[in-house]
Amino acid sequence: MDSPASFTEGEVYQKDFDPVVYLETYYSLSSSHCQGNEILEWTLRSLFKIFFSDGVKGDILIDIGSGPSIYQLLSASENFKEIIASDYTDRNRQELEKWLKNEPGAFDWTPVVKYVCELERDREKWAEKEEKLRKKVKQVLKCDVTKSNILDPVSLPQADCLLSTLCLEAACKDLNSYCAALTNISSLLKPGGQRRFSCLYLERESVEEALREAGYDIQHLEVIPISSENALSDFGAVLSLVACKQPA
């Protein structure tokens, strides 16, 4: 894990992060990076369980740090009337909008969508799944988790569910900033609302403590050890959890 001294600031992501390279490297099921596929498939199964099997649902879901990706929203699209996507960088939001508008050159998520439909035992309805998600995502907003109003200047009604995959651990340089970000995003969530969180580069105990301090009750937590021999990353596990925001 990088030390705080080598932390990648948001301005560097804005300038240098290439969403097309990122998508082709980590989110193609035909990619030669088998480990990336292993994590992607585990994440899709975890999201399927949370949203499809366990029935986390409501009116509004806000995805914190969507990046250029839609995989994390596929199972959630069945259980929410409206989805708000968000990301810090302009190019990530543009790439996401390209897929949502079904424009030429958009990343091909078909294998991933089919995989999720297979989990839902309805593989042949993958095209309907894509169109349903496109209709459910109502906005793609600028997001900065270091701000108290992370969607400033936009104000939204409090959501029933916050979703964050692979965002906070990249946006936060240390545990203090991570705890602050959890508090910042919490303002978007109704008391009693649920959020799903997948995390890299954090100890389980630190995540549990940070969530408790931010006012959440942890309902489910799963850690999957993964031996990383890939030069692209140096993580040792993936963490998934569901937590409920305590009433004030």
Side-chain angles (χ1 to χ4, degrees), residues 7-17 87-90 92 142-144 146 170-173:
F7 174 68
T8 306
E9 299 286 350
E11 292 78 6
V12 178
Y13 277 95
Q14 179 74 289
K15 178 178 178 289
D16 295 331
F17 189 80
D87 198 73
Y88 182 81
T89 77
D90 298 337
N92 276 348
K142 171 81 173 182
C143 149
D144 185 347
T146 67
C172 302
K173 65 181 178 180

Side-chain angles (χ1 to χ4, degrees), residues 64-65 88 143-148 150 167-168 171-172 180-181 184-185:
I64 309 295
Y88 182 81
C143 149
D144 185 347
V145 299
T146 67
K147 294 182 176 180
S148 56
I150 73 166
C167 170
L168 297 188
C172 302
N184 292 341
I185 70 172

Side-chain angles (χ1 to χ4, degrees), residues 17-86:
F17 189 80
D18 188 328
V20 175
V21 172
Y22 171 74
L23 291 173
E24 291 176 349
T25 300
Y26 292 106
Y27 296 107
S28 172
L29 286 179
S30 61
S31 168
S32 61
H33 300 292
C34 295
Q35 175 135 30
N37 290 343
E38 177 189 356
I39 297 171
L40 174 58
E41 291 179 9
W42 176 83
T43 303
L44 294 172
R45 291 193 299 270
S46 178
L47 289 165
F48 165 76
K49 181 179 185 301
I50 289 167
F51 291 110
F52 200 85
S53 300
D54 294 347
V56 173
K57 60 185 178 180
D59 291 328
I60 300 175
L61 178 144
I62 301 176
D63 188 28
I64 309 295
S66 307
S69 307
I70 60 98
Y71 72 94
Q72 72 278 16
L73 302 174
L74 289 167
S75 290
S77 68
E78 300 295 330
N79 287 11
F80 289 86
K81 297 178 181 178
E82 181 177 339
I83 294 173
I84 309 296
S86 68

Side-chain angles (χ1 to χ4, degrees), residues 126-189:
W126 63 270
E128 293 179 25
K129 176 74 113 180
E130 287 188 343
E131 288 311 304
K132 177 180 287 187
L133 179 55
R134 287 187 171 105
K135 291 178 181 178
K136 290 289 182 75
V137 178
K138 305 299 184 182
Q139 299 182 74
V140 179
L141 301 175
K142 171 81 173 182
C143 149
D144 185 347
V145 299
T146 67
K147 294 182 176 180
S148 56
N149 177 5
I150 73 166
L151 301 176
D152 184 56
V154 177
S155 295
L156 296 175
Q158 285 188 312
D160 301 287
C161 181
L162 302 184
L163 172 65
S164 181
T165 48
L166 309 179
C167 170
L168 297 188
E169 57 274 27
C172 302
K173 65 181 178 180
D174 53 35
L175 189 57
N176 287 337
S177 59
Y178 177 80
C179 293
L182 278 174
T183 300
N184 292 341
I185 70 172
S186 183
S187 65
L188 299 174
L189 188 65

Side-chain angles (χ1 to χ4, degrees), residues 14 19 67-68 87 89-101 103 106 140:
Q14 179 74 289
D87 198 73
T89 77
D90 298 337
R91 284 194 288 178
N92 276 348
R93 296 195 308 276
Q94 290 163 4
E95 189 66 29
L96 179 55
E97 291 272 19
K98 186 184 293 186
W99 185 87
L100 291 170
K101 295 175 181 177
E103 294 178 354
V140 179

